[in-house]
Amino acid sequence: MVDFQSRDRRTKGRDDDEDDEAATEESESVQEETDEEPAETGPEEDATSETASVGIAVVTVSDDRTVDDDPVGDAVVDALDGHELVTRELLGRNHDSVQGAVDALVNRDDVDAVVTAGGTGIDTRDITVEAVHPLFEKALPGFGELFRQRYHDRVGTDAIATRATAGIADGTPVFCLPGATEAARLGASEIVSEQAGRLAEPDDGDTV
């Protein structure tokens, strides 16, 4: 007599063994896939890290320098390597002259940004900030804050005596740097060179 119950138990046992074996193989396969090292991927490109080349006008404000002897202007131009120098001017410390020059420059089609150097200190003749600020429809206080923070690393608390500032005039970014050569080079190389292109062509999607 055939013991069907016994045969069923034996058959079930074999089926269970086969199922266990299949499950084990599947588990090992999954584990192998998990253990595989992920494919190497390059760093994600950050569109905001790219700096657009723009046309820049450089204006030195000084009573004791000439076009042929202008180390601070030279420092700014050198620090803005990668951008196009559209024009370069040297003006005395005269409120109306500085204001008129900057106003004319921001209205030029070939000028995307303006950088002034000099006239941002506390002397009575330092009139650049007073001359340029009325032209701003948008002030950029963060520029002065960041500049003084970095300049502090060079000169300590003397950094508070500089009134370096920036703003947007007629849609054009204007940066006012100190007349000290190293200070102007610092601001131009570490801030202006990176931000001029971004501020000249702002992304409408920015939420800053």
Side-chain angles (χ1 to χ4, degrees):
M1 176 179 291
V2 178
D3 186 345
F4 290 102
Q5 185 176 4
S6 174
R7 187 177 66 180
D8 289 344
R9 283 198 300 268
R10 290 195 300 273
T11 303
K12 185 175 185 303
R14 287 197 300 273
D15 291 342
D16 289 344
D17 289 344
E18 292 173 357
D19 290 342
D20 290 344
E21 183 177 351
T24 299
E25 292 177 354
E26 182 178 355
S27 176
E28 291 176 350
S29 176
V30 171
Q31 183 63 37
E32 289 177 358
E33 293 178 0
T34 303
D35 291 342
E36 290 181 359
E37 295 184 0
E40 293 184 1
T41 57
E44 296 183 1
E45 294 184 359
D46 182 0
T48 61
S49 66
E50 299 179 358
T51 302
S53 177
V54 295
I56 297 181
V58 176
V59 179
T60 301
V61 180
S62 174
D63 288 332
D64 52 9
R65 290 171 182 162
T66 66
V67 174
D68 297 326
D69 179 24
D70 180 19
V72 65
D74 294 338
V76 171
V77 172
D78 291 343
L80 294 175
D81 184 38
H83 295 291
E84 177 189 356
L85 177 64
V86 175
T87 186
R88 180 173 170 182
E89 300 181 19
L90 191 146
L91 303 171
R93 299 186 191 188
N94 178 277
H95 179 283
D96 292 344
S97 296
V98 173
Q99 187 175 85
V102 173
D103 189 35
L105 289 169
V106 298
N107 282 285
R108 285 179 52 164
D109 292 337
D110 57 347
V111 172
D112 300 305
V114 176
V115 180
T116 71
T120 63
I122 59 175
D123 190 277
T124 56
R125 298 181 302 153
D126 290 326
I127 46 73
T128 300
V129 176
E130 287 75 16
V132 175
H133 203 275
L135 301 176
F136 294 162
E137 61 257 17
K138 296 286 185 180
L140 298 173
F143 171 79
E145 295 165 1
L146 179 58
F147 173 79
R148 281 181 284 275
Q149 179 189 64
R150 298 196 177 186
Y151 195 39
H152 174 270
D153 295 337
R154 308 285 182 91
V155 300
T157 57
D158 285 349
I160 68 170
T162 176
R163 298 180 299 136
T165 189
I168 306 297
D170 197 30
T172 302
V174 178
F175 305 90
C176 300
L177 297 171
T181 301
E182 289 308 313
R185 179 182 287 111
L186 170 68
S189 64
E190 296 192 12
I191 308 177
V192 177
S193 61
E194 181 176 337
Q195 291 298 323
R198 298 178 189 175
L199 293 171
E201 299 178 1
D203 182 354
D204 292 338
D206 285 350
T207 56
V208 176

